[in-house]
Amino acid sequence: MAEPGAKVVPLKSRRCPMCRSPAADRYRPFCSRRCADLDLGSWLNEDYRIASSEEPDAGPDEDEPGPE
Ligand SMILES: [Zn+2]
């Protein structure tokens, strides 16, 4: 359902979310395969970060070096 009064944006005026260059039909919404890959990479990174952030942090006392 389109909102009433919403402007229809032609594809040609779309811009690459990565670098703001005009998007290419072939790689939309990106301007190039490079930007599409970058976006995919950022998604993967985010996913990885979320997964690895579940690691519990070691307490500051745990890693304390003993006195000599
Ligand atoms: Zn781009």
Side-chain angles (χ1 to χ4, degrees):
M1 277 210 298
E3 283 182 45
K7 281 188 180 177
V8 176
V9 181
L11 284 179
K12 279 185 181 178
S13 74
R14 285 260 178 114
R15 290 190 177 254
C16 173
M18 299 303 289
C19 69
R20 304 288 176 184
S21 291
D25 244 12
R26 184 171 177 175
Y27 299 109
R28 59 193 169 137
F30 306 99
C31 68
S32 63
R33 187 179 168 186
R34 186 189 188 100
C35 282
D37 280 352
L38 281 174
D39 185 63
L40 180 67
S42 76
W43 271 101
L44 290 177
N45 274 341
E46 194 126 333
D47 197 29
Y48 179 74
R49 222 188 303 154
I50 288 167
S52 66
S53 76
E54 280 184 30
E55 267 182 57
D57 281 327
D61 292 332
E62 294 235 55
D63 207 26
E64 204 171 283
E68 280 185 28

